[in-house]
């Protein structure tokens, strides 16, 4: 039930405003979501009552923490008991179990279909960013600088120059977009990549909310006219 609820929430987040109802319904159906009664929702969402340590619901399940008393511990317990994640031995990194990854797949497949209908093509750029490329866009990556993870060794040898693990991909993608565009005939250029990024967050990492590695998509387009670029933004 927790998974069904979260799938429903993810479906809402991925639906467009213009086709909200139909898109949301379609995503939910593909995810295996089925409407369930208000009584079932109430039994899942309300703080569970009972004495002693565990709070048991009518079906014998138990929660060690109450949402109203300790939200952080309650949130972690829900994710573990719903088999959405497992904790990894590197702080801020989490294992996405099949239930959680299936949610990502539903969102990914739906959005991928939509952006491809707009003429966007998928591609993939390397995970590693040279120090020179990162510094070339100092203003853009300034906010990410404290979160950049660096590779400084290969085996037992130090690298001549440290290599960054992408916190975002503009510094990698834009030089190549510039290389590929030689005239107005090459426009518009619309590309997207599904990938992971690393931001070495130190402020209370939390699964799905603030993590050091996360999955995302990033779309980049170039247009002949500013009006076309603005129209693209609004359509997305």
């Amino acid at each position: 039930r927790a998974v069904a609820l979260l799938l429903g929430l993810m479906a809402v987040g991925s639906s467009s405003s213009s086709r909200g109802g139909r898109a949301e319904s379609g995503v939910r159906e593909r995810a295996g979501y089925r409407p369930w009664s208000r009584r079932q929702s109430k039994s899942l969402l309300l703080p569970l009552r009972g004495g002693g340590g565990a709070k048991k619901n009518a079906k014998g399940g138990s929660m060690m923490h109450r949402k109203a008393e300790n939200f952080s511990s309650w949130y972690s317990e829900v994710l573990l008991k719903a088999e959405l994640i497992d904790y990894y031995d590197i702080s801020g990194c989490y294992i996405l179990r099949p239930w959680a990854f299936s949610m990502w797949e539903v969102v990914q497949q739906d959005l991928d279909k939509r952006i491809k209908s707009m003429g966007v093509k998928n591609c993939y750029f390397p995970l590693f960013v040279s120090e020179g490329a990162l510094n070339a866009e100092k203003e853009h990556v300034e906010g990410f600088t404290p979160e950049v993870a660096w590779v400084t060794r290969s085996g037992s040898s130090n690298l001549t120059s440290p290599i960054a693990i992408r916190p975002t991909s503009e510094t990698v993608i834009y030089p190549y977009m510039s290389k590929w565009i030689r005239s107005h005939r090459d426009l518009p250029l619309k590309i997207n990549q599904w990938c992971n990024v690393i931001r070495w967050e130190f402020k209370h990492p939390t699964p799905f909310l603030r993590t050091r590695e996360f999955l995302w998509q990033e779309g980049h387009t170039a247009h002949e006219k500013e009006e076309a670029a603005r129209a693209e933004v609004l359509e997305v």
Side-chain angles (χ1 to χ4, degrees):
R1 292 177 183 175
V3 172
L5 173 64
L6 288 169
L7 281 169
L9 293 175
M10 293 292 283
V12 172
S14 66
S15 62
S16 66
S17 58
S18 61
R19 296 178 296 169
R22 294 192 297 275
E24 176 186 335
S25 176
V27 172
R28 288 186 176 197
E29 289 174 3
R30 290 196 296 278
Y33 175 88
R34 293 294 183 273
W36 35 300
S37 69
R38 185 174 182 179
R39 182 177 179 182
Q40 288 174 308
S41 304
K42 186 175 181 181
S43 68
L44 173 65
L45 297 176
L46 288 180
L48 300 173
R49 300 176 181 177
K55 288 77 176 176
K56 294 187 177 182
N57 61 24
K59 293 189 176 182
S62 62
M63 291 288 290
M64 296 300 296
H65 302 92
R66 293 191 182 190
K67 180 179 177 181
E69 296 173 356
N70 189 332
F71 181 84
S72 178
S73 296
W74 171 86
Y75 178 72
S76 297
E77 189 176 356
V78 167
L79 297 183
L80 289 171
K81 290 195 172 184
E83 298 183 356
L84 293 173
I85 68 156
D86 210 338
Y87 285 88
Y88 195 55
D89 62 357
I90 297 177
S91 176
C93 296
Y94 307 93
I95 298 168
L96 299 182
R97 299 187 65 177
W99 275 119
F101 199 77
S102 68
M103 295 179 194
W104 168 245
E105 288 180 315
V106 169
V107 173
Q108 182 185 36
Q109 291 165 10
D110 184 71
L111 181 57
D112 195 65
K113 181 179 179 180
R114 296 187 190 204
I115 60 178
K116 282 180 178 176
S117 71
M118 298 169 59
V120 178
K121 296 181 179 179
N122 284 331
C123 58
Y124 184 81
F125 287 79
L127 172 68
F128 300 111
V129 185
S130 69
E131 186 175 20
L134 202 65
N135 289 335
E137 297 284 348
K138 281 186 177 181
E139 292 185 3
H140 178 76
V141 300
E142 184 177 0
F144 300 122
T145 300
E147 303 170 357
V148 175
W150 294 91
V151 178
T152 59
R153 294 174 63 86
S154 172
S156 58
S157 304
N158 292 326
L159 297 179
T160 304
S161 299
I163 298 174
I165 301 177
R166 64 172 166 233
T168 185
S169 297
E170 283 82 353
T171 58
V172 178
I173 294 176
Y174 289 168
Y176 288 90
M177 291 182 69
S178 177
K179 177 182 178 181
W180 299 335
I181 299 170
R182 290 306 179 192
S183 75
H184 68 278
R185 295 182 180 85
D186 299 318
L187 297 171
L189 177 60
K190 304 179 182 182
I191 58 176
N192 172 76
Q193 76 166 347
W194 297 93
C195 63
N196 63 336
V197 294
I198 305 295
R199 296 181 186 173
W200 211 252
E201 293 271 11
F202 287 96
K203 300 176 181 178
H204 312 296
T206 305
F208 298 123
L209 301 177
R210 185 185 291 272
T211 62
R212 288 178 173 161
E213 177 186 10
F214 53 92
L215 304 174
W216 77 348
Q217 59 79 220
E218 50 182 313
H220 302 273
T221 67
H223 303 264
E224 184 177 1
K225 302 288 186 180
E226 180 180 348
E227 293 78 8
R230 291 183 177 275
E232 181 86 4
V233 170
L234 294 176
E235 184 177 359
V236 171

